[in-house]
Amino acid sequence: MYCDQCGQSLPPGAAACPRCGAPAEPLPAVPAQRAPAAGEWVRALVSPAVRLGHGPGARAWLAAILLRNLRGTAAGIIGAWFNVPFTIMMAASGAVIGALVGLFHGSFLGPQIVARVDRLLQWVLPLPFSAGELLPSASIQIGGIVGAIAGGLNGAWTLGLLAFAEPWKRMYASDALWPVSFAVGQVVVAVFVGALYLLWSVATEPLRLRVSGARRLSRREAEWLMPMVHEVAARLGLRSLPHVLIDDRREANAYAGIRHIVVNQGLLDQLDHDRGQVSAVIAHELAHWRDGDAIAIAWAKGVTLPLYLLYEIATRLTRMVHNRPLHYLIRFVFWSVIVTVRYIVIPIQASAWRCAEYRADAAAVRAGYRTGLHQALSYLHHSFDGERSGWDAAILAMHPPTELRLEAIEEPGRSYPLRDDGPARIAMPARPSLSTVERDR
């Protein structure tokens, strides 16, 4: 046992701390974390009174799948199953062709350029119309920069619309119900694939976490950390708990999975093992786990699985390949997939994940951890929080700016300093991503 005030180790049966004199309170027993036996699985399925305690309830599952991120789910299904990357690729091709033809169309080279572009397209990209038809009528006699801009815009619109609408027109010409049947079929397939991916994520989460470096708590870690977990769970009104794991990385981070929460050793070191602040972070993560935010992330990836796999392949190849020509070739092949994911799908989904951070912060505050969470966020913000400029850091970020999170949890009517100089902490050369739901690694 340890003193709640100063952290001094207490001898068994001590009534008060020998260092500060604070009364010692008995700690709840720490149950051993183990995998459930086969009989427990059967009893849990038969008797509703038996709870495994390793995952959020059915209400959290339904909310995460059906209600939490409808816009992100719709964006993922449309982007992955309705030829959006192909439409973007054709729109870009139309913009290039239209701009090239429009640049010269108003000059004496216009007819020759159109004829040569048409011959080239017969071998590369055969179109059902002439390249000159990509130009709006207003730019026929303009040419130059204005003609290139007008031709590029009109070419992108014309060829993009053709790529997206032509399959639907052909299906409708054959049977008026075919477009509806095709759309419903694509959505059903996306939902089925998303469900399979979600089940795979649940089944493989222990192995993936172990491979990533997470491990079970040691006896000393459990004696110090698990009483706080039980207290936080009681304040949040939880009747079951996930497995709690430790990751020995120096990065100040904690995240929630579907059936686990992981606390980095670096986070405990950065917060100097302060019970109030660590308890607040645990409350934040248990709120993520209770609300099924990791389920929502896995579901969003599952319904977007074809696009997600291609994007993962593209990003991993671009990181691994250092040969410049080959690097550019990979980007050229996958660029429409990268554009669809980075500029359409992820921005829509990331807004839901930022809302989840505010919601988990609010849950920790309602559980009574306002001060500890404010101190933890304030310290980590001033120590490590980096700039939020550029598309990746500002638009694709899964976390809102820390300063706005601090503002959201501050008590009304109370004055908070811009910088809260608390006790000195241990500085580690790491950059945190505090309270991140598990990214389905």
Side-chain angles (χ1 to χ4, degrees), residues 198-350:
L198 182 55
L199 293 177
W200 177 87
S201 299
V202 175
T204 61
E205 184 179 75
L207 177 61
R208 290 182 288 109
L209 290 176
R210 182 177 179 181
V211 171
S212 68
R215 58 170 176 81
R216 68 174 180 85
L217 276 66
S218 68
R219 176 186 57 80
R220 292 190 304 160
E221 290 169 335
E223 288 178 353
W224 187 83
L225 189 60
M226 289 308 297
M228 289 187 284
V229 174
H230 284 283
E231 180 185 353
V232 170
R235 292 193 185 187
L236 290 174
L238 302 180
R239 294 186 298 171
S240 59
L241 285 175
H243 286 302
V244 181
L245 304 178
I246 288 288
D247 194 314
D248 291 318
R249 295 183 215 184
R250 299 293 92 184
E251 180 186 10
N253 189 25
Y255 56 90
I258 299 175
R259 299 172 60 184
H260 303 77
I261 64 171
V262 181
V263 180
N264 281 15
Q265 185 65 46
L267 178 69
L268 302 179
D269 293 338
Q270 294 296 334
L271 299 180
D272 202 21
H273 288 75
D274 183 271
R275 288 176 176 270
Q277 298 183 42
V278 173
S279 295
V281 173
I282 292 174
H284 179 99
E285 299 308 328
L286 283 179
H288 274 311
W289 172 82
R290 179 198 63 188
D291 296 338
D293 290 331
I295 298 172
I297 288 182
W299 170 256
K301 289 183 177 180
V303 297
T304 324
L305 190 59
L307 198 61
Y308 170 68
L309 291 178
L310 287 177
Y311 179 74
E312 281 293 308
I313 292 173
T315 52
R316 291 179 185 272
L317 286 177
T318 52
R319 293 193 194 106
M320 293 169 54
V321 174
H322 300 289
N323 182 275
R324 190 62 60 87
L326 185 57
H327 183 89
Y328 287 144
L329 177 62
I330 294 172
R331 286 190 172 274
F332 176 77
V333 172
F334 290 100
W335 75 266
S336 61
V337 172
I338 295 174
V339 168
T340 303
V341 174
R342 288 175 57 82
Y343 296 96
I344 299 177
V345 177
I346 294 183
I348 296 175
Q349 294 182 348

